[in-house]
Amino acid sequence: IYDFISEGETIGVFQLESSGMIDLCKRIKPGTLDDITAINALYRPGPLGSGMVDDFIEIKHGRRDMVFPFPELAPVLKDTYGVVVYQEQVMNTARVIAGYSLGQADMLRRAMGKKKADEMDRHKAIFLKGAEEKGFNLQKASDLFDLMAKFAEYGFNKSHAVAYADIAYQTAFLKYYYPAAFFAALLSTELSNMDKVTVYIGDAKRFEIIVLPPDVNESLWQFNVVGKNIRFGMGALKNVGEGAVAEIIRERTEHGAFKGLVDFCERVNLKLVNKRVFESLIKVGAFDSCEKFNRKTLIDNLELVTGYAAKKQEAKSQGLVGLFDVLDEAGDSQERLDLVQSDDFSEKEKLGY
């Protein structure tokens, strides 16, 4: 998983999917959860502009030596290769060098965050007094305080960054081991954002996962896994509401797959699935797998089909046993409707829809 992240395969991975983050992952090449935690803390304007990130990378990859202001700070700074990255490191440095209590260290953290000069001067005096009492070199302690004050401007809360890193690792794990399920879930979270849907479908293709077009017999509201591929979710289609999709799924679950548009119109509740829904489903090819007529023919005959289906449903609701039932036994409704065939939409029109 760390190799996967280090290669920049982080589109869709929590917190690590922007182009800047991908670049940082490739440069840092994380090998531990601590490294991912640091990536979350370092990818901000302050650290990127201050040179901290470059120092971190150079030391991590052994191109520069790790240096601690005092040897006693090794346990505090070794996880970030001697670079002060987190607010907690500022607090622990004050505790180790100047004997601050936890409460005092938190006050120092807040003072550094606010950058108030008079408050900083007061804390520096307390810090140096404490360092002197603990036998540390005063000049080095003074330099360290100034360094801490500089880094505190960029200091990130480590407990926050660890939680982010944990979820980032989990999502990268799912993407690596269960890519189809990962992309189906990811696409489902962005049903209404076509830009994101497009990016994620493109990334899925790189993993040899095909996002199949919508289908009235296989699609759900969300994107779902079919074999090793993904079926496009009906929730991402324009003019197709959740109530209509629920009705389509209910009918096919209870009474089997749809045989075509006429069968579909006869069976679904036309109060829940309206004409705009039919049009959208036809135009995106949701009937292609079960329908012998082309999309343009279905659109041109939609009024005829829905009118016929509405009359049939109304007759059934009123308990009228008669003509329709006799016809059902005689053959297929679609054959009797005598649909007028049209030339199909052009490839460009289909892509547009």
Side-chain angles (χ1 to χ4, degrees):
I1 303 305
Y2 293 118
D3 289 345
F4 189 59
I5 293 170
S6 298
E7 288 159 9
E9 294 290 359
T10 55
I11 288 175
V13 173
F14 183 70
Q15 289 293 311
L16 304 181
E17 71 171 333
S18 70
S19 57
M21 271 292 201
I22 290 171
D23 179 60
L24 193 55
C25 287
K26 286 179 176 177
R27 289 176 65 204
I28 287 180
K29 299 195 180 305
T32 64
L33 197 67
D34 279 319
D35 289 343
I36 300 176
T37 303
I39 288 170
N40 274 305
L42 290 168
Y43 187 68
R44 292 173 302 123
L48 288 168
S50 70
M52 278 173 69
V53 176
D54 297 323
D55 291 343
F56 185 97
I57 292 167
E58 290 300 300
I59 297 165
K60 181 188 185 308
H61 296 305
R63 296 189 287 265
R64 199 181 297 168
D65 292 334
M66 196 186 307
V67 179
F68 303 109
F70 293 99
E72 291 82 355
L73 289 176
V76 176
L77 299 175
K78 66 177 171 44
D79 288 344
T80 52
Y81 311 104
V83 179
V84 181
V85 174
Y86 309 113
Q87 293 175 346
E88 287 91 337
Q89 289 175 317
V90 169
M91 293 166 67
N92 282 324
T93 297
R95 293 178 69 207
V96 170
I97 303 301
Y100 272 56
S101 68
L102 279 167
Q104 288 173 314
D106 194 47
M107 295 298 285
L108 174 65
R109 175 193 65 79
R110 278 197 270 177
M112 285 182 166
K114 289 176 182 171
K115 306 181 194 71
K116 288 186 177 174
D118 54 340
E119 219 172 318
M120 289 297 289
D121 289 343
R122 185 175 66 80
H123 270 287
K124 187 169 185 177
I126 298 168
F127 185 87
L128 293 178
K129 184 171 180 289
E132 188 176 25
E133 287 171 3
K134 294 193 79 172
F136 289 105
N137 178 294
L138 270 184
Q139 184 55 53
K140 284 180 75 177
S142 177
D143 293 342
L144 173 61
F145 186 90
D146 293 339
L147 183 74
M148 284 164 58
K150 176 189 167 193
F151 281 120
E153 293 178 28
Y154 312 128
F156 197 77
N157 182 267
K158 185 179 183 182
S159 56
H160 189 72
V162 168
Y164 274 12
D166 190 38
I167 299 170
Y169 181 93
Q170 288 176 36
T171 48
F173 179 95
L174 293 170
K175 183 176 183 180
Y176 184 81
Y177 286 108
Y178 306 97
F182 172 82
F183 279 108
L186 188 64
L187 286 159
S188 295
T189 65
E190 299 290 354
L191 286 174
S192 59
N193 187 338
M194 268 308 124
D195 290 340
K196 281 274 183 82
V197 165
T198 306
V199 169
Y200 294 151
I201 287 175
D203 198 39
K205 281 180 185 171
R206 294 179 52 249
F207 290 82
E208 298 181 350
I209 294 166
I210 301 165
V211 179
L212 303 164
D215 187 286
V216 289
N217 285 320
E218 280 194 344
S219 290
L220 302 176
W221 172 257
Q222 298 182 318
F223 288 75
N224 61 307
V225 179
V226 178
K228 291 184 177 178
N229 295 313
I230 294 169
R231 182 62 76 179
F232 202 94
M234 287 189 277
L237 304 179
K238 285 183 181 175
N239 304 321
V240 180
E242 208 160 347
V245 175
E247 167 62 8
I248 293 166
I249 294 168
R250 179 202 63 73
E251 176 56 35
R252 77 179 188 218
T253 304
E254 291 178 10
H255 302 111
F258 299 109
K259 298 170 189 168
L261 178 67
V262 177
D263 181 50
F264 182 87
C265 290
E266 286 178 355
R267 288 166 53 187
V268 298
N269 185 336
L270 297 176
K271 290 175 183 169
L272 297 173
V273 186
N274 61 30
K275 190 184 168 193
R276 290 176 76 190
V277 174
F278 291 126
E279 284 182 352
S280 290
L281 291 172
I282 293 166
K283 285 176 178 177
V284 298
F287 290 97
D288 285 6
S289 67
C290 63
E291 181 58 74
K292 65 180 182 182
F293 291 111
N294 66 46
R295 298 180 198 179
K296 183 72 163 63
T297 297
L298 297 182
I299 287 288
D300 289 348
N301 289 275
L302 188 56
E303 290 285 354
L304 173 69
V305 174
T306 52
Y308 168 81
K311 283 178 185 171
K312 186 168 181 181
Q313 285 190 15
E314 190 179 348
K316 271 193 173 178
S317 70
Q318 292 174 5
L320 297 176
V321 179
L323 180 63
F324 285 116
D325 302 275
V326 173
L327 287 172
D328 276 345
E329 288 169 14
D332 184 10
S333 304
Q334 186 156 296
E335 299 295 334
R336 293 189 314 278
L337 273 176
D338 195 25
L339 304 188
V340 178
Q341 295 197 46
S342 311
D343 291 334
D344 201 4
F345 294 115
S346 68
E347 199 63 26
K348 188 176 179 184
E349 284 174 307
K350 285 183 179 179
L351 289 168
Y353 290 136

